[in-house]
Amino acid sequence: VEELWTNHLDRSSTPHEFGFFVIWGRVYAAVFYQVGESRYRTGFFYRDGSPVPSCPFQKKVPDWVPWEEMIRMAESLGAKKDFIRIDFFVGLPKYASDGEQRSANN
């Protein structure tokens, strides 16, 4: 699947990866694997998008990330489950670097 998507800034690169930790249908934290010079620059974030202490990202999740949308989907998929990790790959085709929203068919 990862090979079918591209990074929002570099279409020749792989997408960013997010893993949401859902407990009894509620997201408590998420991990962000950012594509860049180091393939897996990892950072953990609280549900509100703020970084946990010692996170390499010192600010909230970037504005281009569909954070609230991913939380809604993760909580929907994690409903009635003790614990589950829901992963998302964020890049093209839906989220383009020019801000244009695209469908999966484009």
Side-chain angles (χ1 to χ4, degrees):
V1 172
E2 192 171 327
E3 293 173 1
L4 300 177
W5 296 84
T6 59
N7 181 292
H8 79 289
L9 293 175
D10 179 1
R11 293 177 187 219
S12 66
S13 185
T14 56
H16 302 288
E17 181 180 347
F18 295 84
F20 285 80
F21 300 95
V22 183
I23 303 170
W24 287 109
R26 181 166 170 81
V27 168
Y28 284 89
V31 61
F32 176 16
Y33 300 106
Q34 184 181 35
V35 176
E37 292 174 15
S38 172
R39 171 60 178 103
Y40 286 108
R41 180 177 173 209
T42 305
F44 281 88
F45 291 86
Y46 294 116
R47 185 182 199 282
D48 68 357
S50 62
V52 301
S54 74
C55 177
F57 307 98
Q58 295 302 311
K59 297 180 181 178
K60 290 188 84 157
V61 175
D63 290 338
W64 60 264
V65 175
W67 190 254
E68 293 299 323
E69 182 180 358
M70 290 190 298
I71 287 176
R72 283 192 302 277
M73 289 188 285
E75 290 182 343
S76 176
L77 292 167
K80 300 182 183 178
K81 293 174 182 62
D82 292 352
F83 173 82
I84 190 168
R85 178 179 149 170
I86 307 290
D87 289 353
F88 295 96
F89 295 94
V90 178
L92 293 177
K94 189 172 184 183
Y95 299 98
S97 62
D98 57 7
E100 176 185 350
Q101 194 174 65
R102 300 169 188 222
S103 71
N105 296 328
N106 291 342

PDB file of all heavy atoms in Angstrom, residues 31-61:
ATOM      1  N   VAL A  31       1.586   8.242  17.259  1.00  0.00           N
ATOM      2  CA  VAL A  31       2.983   8.338  16.869  1.00  0.00           C
ATOM      3  C   VAL A  31       3.026   8.822  15.418  1.00  0.00           C
ATOM      4  O   VAL A  31       2.199   8.431  14.602  1.00  0.00           O
ATOM      5  CB  VAL A  31       3.729   6.990  17.049  1.00  0.00           C
ATOM      6  CG1 VAL A  31       3.128   5.908  16.200  1.00  0.00           C
ATOM      7  CG2 VAL A  31       5.212   7.135  16.773  1.00  0.00           C
ATOM      8  N   PHE A  32       3.965   9.715  15.124  1.00  0.00           N
ATOM      9  CA  PHE A  32       4.106  10.314  13.799  1.00  0.00           C
ATOM     10  C   PHE A  32       5.469   9.912  13.263  1.00  0.00           C
ATOM     11  O   PHE A  32       6.496  10.252  13.838  1.00  0.00           O
ATOM     12  CB  PHE A  32       3.984  11.823  13.940  1.00  0.00           C
ATOM     13  CG  PHE A  32       4.196  12.642  12.691  1.00  0.00           C
ATOM     14  CD1 PHE A  32       4.171  12.089  11.420  1.00  0.00           C
ATOM     15  CD2 PHE A  32       4.396  14.003  12.793  1.00  0.00           C
ATOM     16  CE1 PHE A  32       4.360  12.868  10.287  1.00  0.00           C
ATOM     17  CE2 PHE A  32       4.578  14.804  11.666  1.00  0.00           C
ATOM     18  CZ  PHE A  32       4.563  14.236  10.414  1.00  0.00           C
ATOM     19  N   TYR A  33       5.476   9.134  12.175  1.00  0.00           N
ATOM     20  CA  TYR A  33       6.717   8.771  11.492  1.00  0.00           C
ATOM     21  C   TYR A  33       6.840   9.705  10.301  1.00  0.00           C
ATOM     22  O   TYR A  33       6.136   9.546   9.311  1.00  0.00           O
ATOM     23  CB  TYR A  33       6.687   7.321  11.004  1.00  0.00           C
ATOM     24  CG  TYR A  33       6.497   6.316  12.092  1.00  0.00           C
ATOM     25  CD1 TYR A  33       5.285   5.670  12.257  1.00  0.00           C
ATOM     26  CD2 TYR A  33       7.538   5.996  12.955  1.00  0.00           C
ATOM     27  CE1 TYR A  33       5.113   4.723  13.252  1.00  0.00           C
ATOM     28  CE2 TYR A  33       7.377   5.052  13.957  1.00  0.00           C
ATOM     29  CZ  TYR A  33       6.157   4.424  14.099  1.00  0.00           C
ATOM     30  OH  TYR A  33       5.985   3.497  15.077  1.00  0.00           O
ATOM     31  N   GLN A  34       7.691  10.697  10.393  1.00  0.00           N
ATOM     32  CA  GLN A  34       7.819  11.693   9.346  1.00  0.00           C
ATOM     33  C   GLN A  34       8.881  11.283   8.340  1.00  0.00           C
ATOM     34  O   GLN A  34       9.989  10.914   8.707  1.00  0.00           O
ATOM     35  CB  GLN A  34       8.177  13.056   9.932  1.00  0.00           C
ATOM     36  CG  GLN A  34       8.214  14.144   8.889  1.00  0.00           C
ATOM     37  CD  GLN A  34       8.601  15.479   9.486  1.00  0.00           C
ATOM     38  OE1 GLN A  34       9.405  15.551  10.399  1.00  0.00           O
ATOM     39  NE2 GLN A  34       8.033  16.533   8.969  1.00  0.00           N
ATOM     40  N   VAL A  35       8.528  11.369   7.088  1.00  0.00           N
ATOM     41  CA  VAL A  35       9.475  11.100   6.019  1.00  0.00           C
ATOM     42  C   VAL A  35      10.405  12.294   5.900  1.00  0.00           C
ATOM     43  O   VAL A  35       9.981  13.440   5.985  1.00  0.00           O
ATOM     44  CB  VAL A  35       8.744  10.880   4.683  1.00  0.00           C
ATOM     45  CG1 VAL A  35       9.722  10.706   3.550  1.00  0.00           C
ATOM     46  CG2 VAL A  35       7.824   9.681   4.786  1.00  0.00           C
ATOM     47  N   GLY A  36      11.664  12.028   5.733  1.00  0.00           N
ATOM     48  CA  GLY A  36      12.635  13.102   5.586  1.00  0.00           C
ATOM     49  C   GLY A  36      14.018  12.515   5.404  1.00  0.00           C
ATOM     50  O   GLY A  36      14.153  11.413   4.883  1.00  0.00           O
ATOM     51  N   GLU A  37      15.013  13.249   5.850  1.00  0.00           N
ATOM     52  CA  GLU A  37      16.385  12.754   5.750  1.00  0.00           C
ATOM     53  C   GLU A  37      16.531  11.439   6.493  1.00  0.00           C
ATOM     54  O   GLU A  37      17.213  10.529   6.058  1.00  0.00           O
ATOM     55  CB  GLU A  37      17.350  13.794   6.306  1.00  0.00           C
ATOM     56  CG  GLU A  37      17.417  15.040   5.461  1.00  0.00           C
ATOM     57  CD  GLU A  37      18.282  16.103   6.114  1.00  0.00           C
ATOM     58  OE1 GLU A  37      19.044  15.791   7.046  1.00  0.00           O
ATOM     59  OE2 GLU A  37      18.190  17.256   5.677  1.00  0.00           O
ATOM     60  N   SER A  38      15.897  11.341   7.633  1.00  0.00           N
ATOM     61  CA  SER A  38      15.851  10.096   8.388  1.00  0.00           C
ATOM     62  C   SER A  38      14.470   9.506   8.147  1.00  0.00           C
ATOM     63  O   SER A  38      13.469  10.120   8.483  1.00  0.00           O
ATOM     64  CB  SER A  38      16.057  10.381   9.877  1.00  0.00           C
ATOM     65  OG  SER A  38      15.827   9.215  10.624  1.00  0.00           O
ATOM     66  N   ARG A  39      14.389   8.350   7.538  1.00  0.00           N
ATOM     67  CA  ARG A  39      13.109   7.760   7.127  1.00  0.00           C
ATOM     68  C   ARG A  39      12.088   7.765   8.247  1.00  0.00           C
ATOM     69  O   ARG A  39      10.938   8.059   8.051  1.00  0.00           O
ATOM     70  CB  ARG A  39      13.325   6.329   6.600  1.00  0.00           C
ATOM     71  CG  ARG A  39      12.053   5.526   6.352  1.00  0.00           C
ATOM     72  CD  ARG A  39      11.154   6.208   5.314  1.00  0.00           C
ATOM     73  NE  ARG A  39       9.983   5.419   5.064  1.00  0.00           N
ATOM     74  CZ  ARG A  39       8.778   5.664   5.543  1.00  0.00           C
ATOM     75  NH1 ARG A  39       8.568   6.669   6.344  1.00  0.00           N
ATOM     76  NH2 ARG A  39       7.762   4.907   5.227  1.00  0.00           N
ATOM     77  N   TYR A  40      12.508   7.421   9.446  1.00  0.00           N
ATOM     78  CA  TYR A  40      11.547   7.367  10.536  1.00  0.00           C
ATOM     79  C   TYR A  40      11.935   8.317  11.650  1.00  0.00           C
ATOM     80  O   TYR A  40      12.487   7.920  12.656  1.00  0.00           O
ATOM     81  CB  TYR A  40      11.410   5.943  11.066  1.00  0.00           C
ATOM     82  CG  TYR A  40      10.637   5.061  10.142  1.00  0.00           C
ATOM     83  CD1 TYR A  40      11.263   4.077   9.403  1.00  0.00           C
ATOM     84  CD2 TYR A  40       9.270   5.227   9.987  1.00  0.00           C
ATOM     85  CE1 TYR A  40      10.538   3.271   8.544  1.00  0.00           C
ATOM     86  CE2 TYR A  40       8.547   4.429   9.131  1.00  0.00           C
ATOM     87  CZ  TYR A  40       9.179   3.442   8.415  1.00  0.00           C
ATOM     88  OH  TYR A  40       8.478   2.656   7.566  1.00  0.00           O
ATOM     89  N   ARG A  41      11.691   9.570  11.439  1.00  0.00           N
ATOM     90  CA  ARG A  41      11.833  10.555  12.507  1.00  0.00           C
ATOM     91  C   ARG A  41      10.543  10.462  13.306  1.00  0.00           C
ATOM     92  O   ARG A  41       9.476  10.855  12.824  1.00  0.00           O
ATOM     93  CB  ARG A  41      12.025  11.951  11.927  1.00  0.00           C
ATOM     94  CG  ARG A  41      12.169  13.002  12.981  1.00  0.00           C
ATOM     95  CD  ARG A  41      12.432  14.354  12.355  1.00  0.00           C
ATOM     96  NE  ARG A  41      12.411  15.377  13.386  1.00  0.00           N
ATOM     97  CZ  ARG A  41      12.069  16.616  13.177  1.00  0.00           C
ATOM     98  NH1 ARG A  41      11.739  17.022  11.965  1.00  0.00           N
ATOM     99  NH2 ARG A  41      12.065  17.483  14.157  1.00  0.00           N
ATOM    100  N   THR A  42      10.631   9.919  14.488  1.00  0.00           N
ATOM    101  CA  THR A  42       9.437   9.582  15.252  1.00  0.00           C
ATOM    102  C   THR A  42       9.131  10.616  16.309  1.00  0.00           C
ATOM    103  O   THR A  42      10.028  11.114  16.978  1.00  0.00           O
ATOM    104  CB  THR A  42       9.635   8.214  15.936  1.00  0.00           C
ATOM    105  OG1 THR A  42       9.986   7.261  14.945  1.00  0.00           O
ATOM    106  CG2 THR A  42       8.388   7.765  16.644  1.00  0.00           C
ATOM    107  N   GLY A  43       7.842  10.881  16.476  1.00  0.00           N
ATOM    108  CA  GLY A  43       7.393  11.757  17.544  1.00  0.00           C
ATOM    109  C   GLY A  43       6.051  11.296  18.058  1.00  0.00           C
ATOM    110  O   GLY A  43       5.201  10.847  17.292  1.00  0.00           O
ATOM    111  N   PHE A  44       5.868  11.386  19.372  1.00  0.00           N
ATOM    112  CA  PHE A  44       4.588  11.024  19.973  1.00  0.00           C
ATOM    113  C   PHE A  44       3.814  12.285  20.329  1.00  0.00           C
ATOM    114  O   PHE A  44       4.392  13.283  20.766  1.00  0.00           O
ATOM    115  CB  PHE A  44       4.811  10.173  21.232  1.00  0.00           C
ATOM    116  CG  PHE A  44       5.124   8.748  20.919  1.00  0.00           C
ATOM    117  CD1 PHE A  44       6.428   8.350  20.695  1.00  0.00           C
ATOM    118  CD2 PHE A  44       4.109   7.804  20.825  1.00  0.00           C
ATOM    119  CE1 PHE A  44       6.735   7.028  20.395  1.00  0.00           C
ATOM    120  CE2 PHE A  44       4.395   6.485  20.519  1.00  0.00           C
ATOM    121  CZ  PHE A  44       5.713   6.092  20.311  1.00  0.00           C
ATOM    122  N   PHE A  45       2.518  12.200  20.143  1.00  0.00           N
ATOM    123  CA  PHE A  45       1.632  13.330  20.401  1.00  0.00           C
ATOM    124  C   PHE A  45       0.439  12.886  21.235  1.00  0.00           C
ATOM    125  O   PHE A  45      -0.030  11.752  21.110  1.00  0.00           O
ATOM    126  CB  PHE A  45       1.115  13.921  19.080  1.00  0.00           C
ATOM    127  CG  PHE A  45       2.181  14.597  18.282  1.00  0.00           C
ATOM    128  CD1 PHE A  45       2.974  13.879  17.410  1.00  0.00           C
ATOM    129  CD2 PHE A  45       2.396  15.956  18.410  1.00  0.00           C
ATOM    130  CE1 PHE A  45       3.972  14.490  16.674  1.00  0.00           C
ATOM    131  CE2 PHE A  45       3.392  16.583  17.686  1.00  0.00           C
ATOM    132  CZ  PHE A  45       4.181  15.857  16.817  1.00  0.00           C
ATOM    133  N   TYR A  46      -0.046  13.817  22.058  1.00  0.00           N
ATOM    134  CA  TYR A  46      -1.283  13.577  22.794  1.00  0.00           C
ATOM    135  C   TYR A  46      -2.473  13.735  21.848  1.00  0.00           C
ATOM    136  O   TYR A  46      -2.328  14.215  20.725  1.00  0.00           O
ATOM    137  CB  TYR A  46      -1.418  14.562  23.955  1.00  0.00           C
ATOM    138  CG  TYR A  46      -0.376  14.388  25.028  1.00  0.00           C
ATOM    139  CD1 TYR A  46       0.553  15.387  25.286  1.00  0.00           C
ATOM    140  CD2 TYR A  46      -0.320  13.218  25.793  1.00  0.00           C
ATOM    141  CE1 TYR A  46       1.506  15.246  26.277  1.00  0.00           C
ATOM    142  CE2 TYR A  46       0.633  13.065  26.778  1.00  0.00           C
ATOM    143  CZ  TYR A  46       1.541  14.078  27.027  1.00  0.00           C
ATOM    144  OH  TYR A  46       2.489  13.933  28.001  1.00  0.00           O
ATOM    145  N   ARG A  47      -3.648  13.381  22.336  1.00  0.00           N
ATOM    146  CA  ARG A  47      -4.867  13.442  21.537  1.00  0.00           C
ATOM    147  C   ARG A  47      -5.118  14.852  20.978  1.00  0.00           C
ATOM    148  O   ARG A  47      -5.608  15.012  19.879  1.00  0.00           O
ATOM    149  CB  ARG A  47      -6.063  13.002  22.386  1.00  0.00           C
ATOM    150  CG  ARG A  47      -7.358  12.917  21.628  1.00  0.00           C
ATOM    151  CD  ARG A  47      -8.492  12.525  22.560  1.00  0.00           C
ATOM    152  NE  ARG A  47      -9.605  12.018  21.824  1.00  0.00           N
ATOM    153  CZ  ARG A  47     -10.476  12.781  21.170  1.00  0.00           C
ATOM    154  NH1 ARG A  47     -10.324  14.089  21.154  1.00  0.00           N
ATOM    155  NH2 ARG A  47     -11.484  12.241  20.521  1.00  0.00           N
ATOM    156  N   ASP A  48      -4.780  15.871  21.738  1.00  0.00           N
ATOM    157  CA  ASP A  48      -5.022  17.252  21.297  1.00  0.00           C
ATOM    158  C   ASP A  48      -3.986  17.742  20.281  1.00  0.00           C
ATOM    159  O   ASP A  48      -4.032  18.885  19.847  1.00  0.00           O
ATOM    160  CB  ASP A  48      -5.092  18.201  22.489  1.00  0.00           C
ATOM    161  CG  ASP A  48      -3.759  18.376  23.216  1.00  0.00           C
ATOM    162  OD1 ASP A  48      -2.763  17.712  22.844  1.00  0.00           O
ATOM    163  OD2 ASP A  48      -3.730  19.167  24.169  1.00  0.00           O
ATOM    164  N   GLY A  49      -3.025  16.894  19.914  1.00  0.00           N
ATOM    165  CA  GLY A  49      -2.027  17.274  18.923  1.00  0.00           C
ATOM    166  C   GLY A  49      -0.773  17.900  19.506  1.00  0.00           C
ATOM    167  O   GLY A  49       0.148  18.238  18.772  1.00  0.00           O
ATOM    168  N   SER A  50      -0.717  18.045  20.819  1.00  0.00           N
ATOM    169  CA  SER A  50       0.481  18.611  21.440  1.00  0.00           C
ATOM    170  C   SER A  50       1.527  17.507  21.638  1.00  0.00           C
ATOM    171  O   SER A  50       1.184  16.351  21.881  1.00  0.00           O
ATOM    172  CB  SER A  50       0.130  19.274  22.777  1.00  0.00           C
ATOM    173  OG  SER A  50      -0.382  18.314  23.678  1.00  0.00           O
ATOM    174  N   PRO A  51       2.816  17.856  21.523  1.00  0.00           N
ATOM    175  CA  PRO A  51       3.880  16.842  21.643  1.00  0.00           C
ATOM    176  C   PRO A  51       4.078  16.396  23.091  1.00  0.00           C
ATOM    177  O   PRO A  51       3.921  17.188  24.012  1.00  0.00           O
ATOM    178  CB  PRO A  51       5.118  17.569  21.118  1.00  0.00           C
ATOM    179  CG  PRO A  51       4.834  19.017  21.354  1.00  0.00           C
ATOM    180  CD  PRO A  51       3.345  19.184  21.223  1.00  0.00           C
ATOM    181  N   VAL A  52       4.424  15.131  23.262  1.00  0.00           N
ATOM    182  CA  VAL A  52       4.771  14.641  24.597  1.00  0.00           C
ATOM    183  C   VAL A  52       6.169  15.166  24.937  1.00  0.00           C
ATOM    184  O   VAL A  52       6.921  15.556  24.040  1.00  0.00           O
ATOM    185  CB  VAL A  52       4.725  13.097  24.674  1.00  0.00           C
ATOM    186  CG1 VAL A  52       3.351  12.563  24.322  1.00  0.00           C
ATOM    187  CG2 VAL A  52       5.782  12.468  23.812  1.00  0.00           C
ATOM    188  N   PRO A  53       6.547  15.183  26.213  1.00  0.00           N
ATOM    189  CA  PRO A  53       7.898  15.628  26.567  1.00  0.00           C
ATOM    190  C   PRO A  53       8.952  14.807  25.829  1.00  0.00           C
ATOM    191  O   PRO A  53       8.789  13.618  25.616  1.00  0.00           O
ATOM    192  CB  PRO A  53       7.959  15.376  28.082  1.00  0.00           C
ATOM    193  CG  PRO A  53       6.535  15.434  28.522  1.00  0.00           C
ATOM    194  CD  PRO A  53       5.739  14.848  27.388  1.00  0.00           C
ATOM    195  N   SER A  54       9.997  15.438  25.416  1.00  0.00           N
ATOM    196  CA  SER A  54      11.137  14.882  24.662  1.00  0.00           C
ATOM    197  C   SER A  54      10.786  14.481  23.232  1.00  0.00           C
ATOM    198  O   SER A  54      11.569  13.815  22.565  1.00  0.00           O
ATOM    199  CB  SER A  54      11.787  13.700  25.402  1.00  0.00           C
ATOM    200  OG  SER A  54      10.983  12.544  25.319  1.00  0.00           O
ATOM    201  N   CYS A  55       9.649  14.911  22.734  1.00  0.00           N
ATOM    202  CA  CYS A  55       9.287  14.681  21.335  1.00  0.00           C
ATOM    203  C   CYS A  55      10.185  15.553  20.455  1.00  0.00           C
ATOM    204  O   CYS A  55      10.406  16.724  20.763  1.00  0.00           O
ATOM    205  CB  CYS A  55       7.825  15.054  21.116  1.00  0.00           C
ATOM    206  SG  CYS A  55       7.260  14.906  19.412  1.00  0.00           S
ATOM    207  N   PRO A  56      10.727  14.999  19.353  1.00  0.00           N
ATOM    208  CA  PRO A  56      11.591  15.824  18.500  1.00  0.00           C
ATOM    209  C   PRO A  56      10.837  16.973  17.818  1.00  0.00           C
ATOM    210  O   PRO A  56      11.440  17.932  17.380  1.00  0.00           O
ATOM    211  CB  PRO A  56      12.135  14.841  17.466  1.00  0.00           C
ATOM    212  CG  PRO A  56      11.199  13.711  17.476  1.00  0.00           C
ATOM    213  CD  PRO A  56      10.613  13.644  18.851  1.00  0.00           C
ATOM    214  N   PHE A  57       9.525  16.872  17.748  1.00  0.00           N
ATOM    215  CA  PHE A  57       8.697  17.950  17.210  1.00  0.00           C
ATOM    216  C   PHE A  57       8.249  18.782  18.397  1.00  0.00           C
ATOM    217  O   PHE A  57       7.573  18.287  19.281  1.00  0.00           O
ATOM    218  CB  PHE A  57       7.467  17.390  16.493  1.00  0.00           C
ATOM    219  CG  PHE A  57       7.795  16.372  15.446  1.00  0.00           C
ATOM    220  CD1 PHE A  57       7.705  15.021  15.717  1.00  0.00           C
ATOM    221  CD2 PHE A  57       8.190  16.765  14.181  1.00  0.00           C
ATOM    222  CE1 PHE A  57       8.013  14.071  14.750  1.00  0.00           C
ATOM    223  CE2 PHE A  57       8.497  15.830  13.210  1.00  0.00           C
ATOM    224  CZ  PHE A  57       8.405  14.483  13.496  1.00  0.00           C
ATOM    225  N   GLN A  58       8.619  20.034  18.438  1.00  0.00           N
ATOM    226  CA  GLN A  58       8.332  20.857  19.604  1.00  0.00           C
ATOM    227  C   GLN A  58       7.042  21.654  19.499  1.00  0.00           C
ATOM    228  O   GLN A  58       6.712  22.396  20.398  1.00  0.00           O
ATOM    229  CB  GLN A  58       9.509  21.797  19.872  1.00  0.00           C
ATOM    230  CG  GLN A  58      10.764  21.049  20.259  1.00  0.00           C
ATOM    231  CD  GLN A  58      10.561  20.190  21.503  1.00  0.00           C
ATOM    232  OE1 GLN A  58      10.051  20.658  22.500  1.00  0.00           O
ATOM    233  NE2 GLN A  58      10.949  18.929  21.432  1.00  0.00           N
ATOM    234  N   LYS A  59       6.339  21.478  18.404  1.00  0.00           N
ATOM    235  CA  LYS A  59       5.080  22.195  18.224  1.00  0.00           C
ATOM    236  C   LYS A  59       3.971  21.187  18.006  1.00  0.00           C
ATOM    237  O   LYS A  59       4.208  19.992  17.875  1.00  0.00           O
ATOM    238  CB  LYS A  59       5.174  23.132  17.026  1.00  0.00           C
ATOM    239  CG  LYS A  59       6.221  24.209  17.195  1.00  0.00           C
ATOM    240  CD  LYS A  59       6.274  25.097  15.991  1.00  0.00           C
ATOM    241  CE  LYS A  59       7.360  26.152  16.179  1.00  0.00           C
ATOM    242  NZ  LYS A  59       7.503  27.027  15.045  1.00  0.00           N
ATOM    243  N   LYS A  60       2.753  21.692  17.928  1.00  0.00           N
ATOM    244  CA  LYS A  60       1.619  20.823  17.636  1.00  0.00           C
ATOM    245  C   LYS A  60       1.799  20.191  16.261  1.00  0.00           C
ATOM    246  O   LYS A  60       2.646  20.602  15.480  1.00  0.00           O
ATOM    247  CB  LYS A  60       0.316  21.619  17.689  1.00  0.00           C
ATOM    248  CG  LYS A  60      -0.074  22.052  19.106  1.00  0.00           C
ATOM    249  CD  LYS A  60      -1.439  22.651  19.142  1.00  0.00           C
ATOM    250  CE  LYS A  60      -2.418  21.507  19.245  1.00  0.00           C
ATOM    251  NZ  LYS A  60      -3.691  21.836  19.803  1.00  0.00           N
ATOM    252  N   VAL A  61       0.977  19.218  15.979  1.00  0.00           N
ATOM    253  CA  VAL A  61       0.993  18.550  14.681  1.00  0.00           C
ATOM    254  C   VAL A  61       0.848  19.609  13.585  1.00  0.00           C
ATOM    255  O   VAL A  61       0.075  20.563  13.740  1.00  0.00           O
ATOM    256  CB  VAL A  61      -0.168  17.538  14.609  1.00  0.00           C
ATOM    257  CG1 VAL A  61      -0.275  16.906  13.251  1.00  0.00           C
ATOM    258  CG2 VAL A  61       0.002  16.471  15.667  1.00  0.00           C
TER     259      VAL A  61
END
